[in-house]
Amino acid sequence: ANYLKYKYDIQVLAIDCFQQITYQPKMNYRDYELGQVLKEIKRMAKEMNMAVILTSQLSRMTEKRGHLGMPVLSDLKETSYLEEVADKVLLLHRYDYYGITVYEDGTPTGNDSNVLIAKNKNGKSGKVLLSFDSKLGKFLPKAQPPPMVFEFPANRLTDLE
């Protein structure tokens, strides 16, 4: 990372499946070992003034809960430290992945997906609805319904004054 930062001035470092990183010296507890890795990555990011994006596996708890397979922060696999150290945690959820084809109200899910903002140190948490294009392996903005506009007859407005 140091070499890439100083040679190419990278602004973002992406690490896929951080659970596969090992820490030297080896430790007895994998959770603690990954916590040390996270602390080093965060230190490096601050020192180099760049963003770091980590991907993480989820535990199987999402499949057991039955609430549309929606993941939560505690589902991050093998480390509670990730919850503590991360500034932002985004969780992806695809209804079709869990075999969910209709919402509870009977509306079809289609290719709907969610980005769940589970942690946001300097902002709001929440949910963003997206569409997943499986042919491209890409999440796209979901077409939102137009905002409702209410029009009142002119005489009705004067009655309210």
Side-chain angles (χ1 to χ4, degrees):
N2 284 330
Y3 174 77
L4 294 172
K5 176 65 178 177
Y6 294 111
K7 179 151 180 145
Y8 300 106
D9 193 30
I10 63 170
Q11 301 299 308
V12 178
L13 176 66
I15 300 172
D16 188 21
C17 195
F18 94 98
Q19 283 92 347
Q20 293 180 356
I21 297 173
T22 56
Y23 184 78
Q24 297 299 327
K26 198 88 171 139
M27 299 179 175
N28 291 335
Y29 300 102
R30 183 70 178 144
D31 190 54
Y32 183 73
E33 185 177 336
L34 288 173
Q36 294 303 103
V37 169
L38 285 169
K39 288 176 185 176
E40 286 297 314
I41 290 171
K42 185 148 187 174
R43 183 196 55 73
M44 177 197 66
K46 284 183 180 181
E47 189 177 285
M48 295 183 185
N49 193 30
M50 68 178 177
V52 175
I53 299 170
L54 294 174
T55 65
S56 173
Q57 296 175 342
L58 295 177
S59 69
R60 297 273 180 203
M61 290 306 293
T62 56
E63 296 169 2
K64 294 177 183 173
R65 267 198 300 278
H67 66 292
L68 302 177
M70 207 68 77
V72 293
L73 198 55
S74 60
D75 290 332
L76 294 170
K77 192 172 184 179
E78 288 191 299
T79 184
S80 57
Y81 288 100
L82 188 54
E83 293 179 48
E84 296 173 27
V85 174
D87 292 333
K88 294 176 180 22
V89 177
L90 306 176
L91 303 168
L92 297 176
H93 175 261
R94 289 180 25 221
Y95 293 102
D96 64 335
Y97 180 83
Y98 293 96
I100 300 164
T101 57
V102 293
Y103 290 107
E104 291 172 349
D105 67 359
T107 309
T109 58
N111 55 357
D112 287 359
S113 300
N114 293 300
V115 173
L116 306 165
I117 305 165
K119 180 179 178 183
N120 190 358
K121 185 177 177 182
N122 299 315
K124 295 180 181 180
S125 59
K127 181 169 58 170
V128 178
L129 185 63
L130 297 174
S131 178
F132 182 71
D133 185 332
S134 59
K135 291 178 185 154
L136 298 175
K138 188 175 183 179
F139 290 92
L140 303 166
K142 176 81 175 165
Q144 299 294 324
M148 297 179 88
V149 177
F150 296 99
E151 294 183 22
F152 294 101
N155 63 346
R156 179 70 177 126
L157 291 175
T158 54
D159 290 346
L160 295 174
E161 293 176 354

